[in-house]
Amino acid sequence: FFHDHTLLILIMITVLIAYIMFMLFFNKFTNRYLLHGQTIEIIWTILPAVILMFIAFPSLRLLYLMDEINSPLITLKAIGHQWYWSYEYSNFLNLEFDSYMIPTNELDINGFRLLDVDNRIILPMNNQIRILVTATDVIHSWTVPSLGVKIDATPGRLNQTNFLINQPG
């Protein structure tokens, strides 16, 4: 809807400018009030600002709505520590665990160095998932590249994002 709204405004501007240029090329009459007029200068100064507001207000509303999470199926809380992450499933009672990185010397031949952990999180597919991220000591970055999710974990601050998993992995 926003794309169509913005495109309609841009098409109207383009048609208006093309019409004015066409009339200027083929019209031999000139109006001396249009050549030296304060009124026309006020109009072509204020009109672009009004047009930009017609584009900006729907885009701000859209940005706000994109950040809202309607009703997530599950909420996961990730807490970054010095060398590990703690996870809490908020929808279930007492379901929390720590996830440590597997050392390189204990890694399988097919394992991913610096990415594999001993306890992985399990999340459902095709459902809205909210994740709350914080840290206890320093700034961390919680990232899942295949989902396109990256959020910073800052001590004393609770950051929130949502995502939808549409393929297993």
Side-chain angles (χ1 to χ4, degrees):
F1 174 75
F2 176 69
H3 175 265
D4 295 341
H5 172 76
T6 308
L7 193 63
L8 180 68
I9 291 173
L10 292 176
I11 287 173
M12 288 189 320
I13 291 171
T14 305
V15 168
L16 179 69
I17 297 299
Y19 174 75
I20 291 172
M21 288 178 64
F22 181 79
M23 293 314 264
L24 283 175
F25 285 139
F26 297 108
N27 192 353
K28 301 296 181 204
F29 306 111
T30 56
N31 188 345
R32 66 184 177 100
Y33 295 111
L34 283 180
L35 295 177
H36 300 287
Q38 194 171 17
T39 308
I40 192 70
E41 289 181 10
I42 291 173
I43 290 173
W44 70 46
T45 303
I46 293 177
L47 190 65
V50 171
I51 292 171
L52 286 176
M53 284 193 299
F54 274 109
I55 294 174
F57 288 140
S59 67
L60 290 175
R61 180 180 171 276
L62 187 63
L63 282 173
Y64 176 75
L65 289 176
M66 282 177 53
D67 201 30
E68 281 295 310
I69 301 169
N70 293 333
S71 57
L73 176 74
I74 195 164
T75 300
L76 177 70
K77 184 177 181 185
I79 305 167
H81 298 279
Q82 186 75 27
W83 295 104
Y84 65 98
W85 287 89
S86 295
Y87 294 102
E88 299 175 10
Y89 287 92
S90 301
N91 300 75
F92 307 103
L93 295 175
N94 297 328
L95 186 54
E96 54 187 56
F97 59 93
D98 294 333
S99 180
Y100 291 90
M101 186 172 49
I102 297 176
T104 306
N105 57 355
E106 297 175 14
L107 199 60
D108 292 338
I109 194 72
N110 296 340
F112 293 106
R113 185 178 160 270
L114 300 177
L115 290 177
D116 271 341
V117 293
D118 57 354
N119 293 322
R120 297 181 178 179
I121 58 172
I122 309 290
L123 295 171
M125 278 181 44
N126 296 324
N127 289 303
Q128 199 67 30
I129 300 164
R130 171 177 45 199
I131 182 159
L132 306 172
V133 181
T134 188
T136 58
D137 45 13
V138 296
I139 297 175
H140 298 278
S141 182
W142 193 87
T143 307
V144 180
S146 59
L147 291 176
V149 176
K150 182 172 185 166
I151 188 167
D152 290 331
T154 309
R157 183 179 173 105
L158 194 63
N159 290 333
Q160 166 180 299
T161 190
N162 64 337
F163 54 88
L164 183 80
I165 301 172
N166 56 11
Q167 61 185 5

